[in-house]
């Protein structure tokens, strides 16, 4: 199902960020998104992937691809990215990470994203 980038949130937003980053995710228990992590004692480990709430994951994306993040009110942030053709991409959200990740997804995938139905049902 197509979802407007400006409406992405939670696990669906995290999934879209992974798609924009070219990261393959797995589904864990409680429908959490997991990404292949480090090796430990020869075992591949899975780690939660939530760049829309985890600064360690979302922060580097902001540093690399987002031009600015501004606070407009208590619950409204706006993020801006610039595309290669000098087009401004602007998205908003209730937190700086949500606004920035929506902006990143919009800059890479557009104003709408095709999301797997099973992800929307969680």
């Amino acid at each position: 199902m197509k979802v407007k980038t400006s409406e992405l949130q939670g696990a669906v937003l995290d999934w879209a960020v992974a798609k924009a980053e070219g990261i393959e995710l797995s589904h864990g228990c409680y429908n959490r998104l997991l990404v292949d992590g480090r090796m430990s004692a020869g075992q591949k480990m899975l780690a939660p992937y939530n760049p829309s709430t985890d600064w360690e994951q979302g922060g580097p994306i902001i540093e690399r691809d987002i031009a600015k993040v501004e606070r407009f009110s208590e619950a409204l942030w706006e993020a801006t990215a610039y595309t290669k053709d000098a087009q401004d991409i602007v998205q908003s959200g209730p937190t700086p990470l949500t606004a920035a990740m929506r902006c990143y997804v919009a800059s890479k995938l557009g104003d709408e994203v095709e999301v797997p139905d099973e992800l929307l049902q969680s």
Side-chain angles (χ1 to χ4, degrees), residues 87-109:
Q87 183 180 15
D88 290 4
I89 303 291
V90 179
Q91 291 285 321
S92 62
T95 68
L97 279 174
T98 298
M101 293 306 102
R102 285 175 178 169
C103 187
Y104 175 68
V105 170
S107 73
K108 299 296 182 186
L109 304 177

Side-chain angles (χ1 to χ4, degrees), residues 62-108:
I62 292 171
E63 288 179 0
R64 184 187 69 222
D65 290 297
I66 303 299
K68 65 181 173 179
V69 178
E70 297 178 280
R71 184 180 201 159
F72 282 93
S73 69
E74 183 71 24
L76 182 64
W77 291 79
E78 190 172 272
T80 304
Y82 306 116
T83 63
K84 291 178 184 173
D85 57 356
Q87 183 180 15
D88 290 4
I89 303 291
V90 179
Q91 291 285 321
S92 62
T95 68
L97 279 174
T98 298
M101 293 306 102
R102 285 175 178 169
C103 187
Y104 175 68
V105 170
S107 73
K108 299 296 182 186

